[in-house]
Amino acid sequence: MSELRVASRYAKSLLDLAEERGELEQVKQDMDLFSKTLGENRDLRLLLRNPIVKSDKKLAILRAIFGGKVTALTEKFFSIVTQHNREDSLVFIGDEFLKQYNLKRGMQVAQVTTAAPLDAPTRLQLVQLVREQTGLPKVTLQEKVDESLIGGFVLRIGDQLIDDSVSYRLRKLRTEFSKNPYQPQL
C-alpha cells in the first residue's frame, strides 16, 4: 500500500477519533506543531524513515520531543503508529491530517508564488479562482515571493498546479522555437 494512502487512512482515523472525543481542535494544534517540527528538522524526517532504527527508539524520540506538548490522544496515536511499524508514514500523516481537517471545515489552503507581493485586488481574484476550482467557500492563501518568475503567478491547490508565470511562458516559447527552427526560403 502506498505511503500516501496509509497516511490518509491514519489521518482520517485520528481526525474521526478526535472529533468523536471532542478534542479535534487540540489534536489539530498538535498536528500543526508536529508538521512544523518535521518541516524544520530534516534529521527527524530521516530518522522516522530509517528502517535500521527500531520502532521503540523512534517512539522514545517522539515522546522526548513531543511529550507534554501534545494531548494524550496524539501521544497514543504516535504509539499505535509505531507499534504497527508505520512510523515512516508519520512524515506524511501530519500534512494529510491538516488537509482533511481543512476540507472538513470547508476550507481550502492554496499556495501562491508571485514575482512581487500581491496587492489586494489581485489577492481577491486569486481567492475567487481557488473558490471556482474547489467549490469551497473558505480560502486561505499562503503567499510567497520568487523574483525569478519575472511576472505572473504559480498557484498550487492541493495536487493541482496553475503556472501562469512569465518565466514559464518564456520556457514554453523556447521549447516551441527549438522544435520549429526558422528556415529562410531562398
Side-chain angles (χ1 to χ4, degrees), residues 2 8 17 20 59 65 73 76 100 122 135-137 148 160:
S2 79
S8 178
L17 184 61
E20 183 181 303
L59 180 59
I65 295 171
L73 177 61
K76 183 66 176 165
Q100 290 182 23
T122 307
L136 296 173
S148 70
Q160 184 181 11

Side-chain angles (χ1 to χ4, degrees), residues 18-108:
E19 188 172 39
E20 183 181 303
R21 290 185 172 191
E23 298 178 29
L24 185 57
E25 294 307 315
Q26 297 93 326
V27 172
K28 193 255 187 215
Q29 290 174 358
D30 294 348
M31 297 313 281
D32 282 339
L33 174 66
F34 181 68
S35 289
K36 183 176 184 258
T37 304
L38 283 180
E40 295 172 351
N41 194 327
R42 181 177 181 265
D43 291 337
L44 181 58
R45 286 192 312 270
L46 292 174
L47 173 87
L48 290 173
R49 297 186 57 85
N50 189 335
I52 297 171
V53 179
K54 298 208 181 300
S55 295
D56 57 336
K57 294 272 187 202
K58 292 177 186 178
L59 180 59
I61 292 169
L62 287 172
R63 284 184 175 152
I65 295 171
F66 297 104
K69 297 177 185 168
V70 296
T71 62
L73 177 61
T74 304
E75 280 192 46
K76 183 66 176 165
F77 176 75
F78 290 154
S79 178
I80 290 170
V81 171
T82 55
Q83 285 172 1
H84 289 99
N85 295 319
R86 293 291 194 177
E87 57 276 346
D88 58 331
S89 296
L90 279 170
V91 175
F92 304 105
I93 290 173
D95 291 336
E96 187 61 32
F97 177 89
L98 297 173
K99 189 184 306 181
Q100 290 182 23
Y101 173 87
N102 287 334
L103 287 176
K104 190 172 213 51
R105 295 285 186 230
M107 183 177 8
Q108 179 65 54

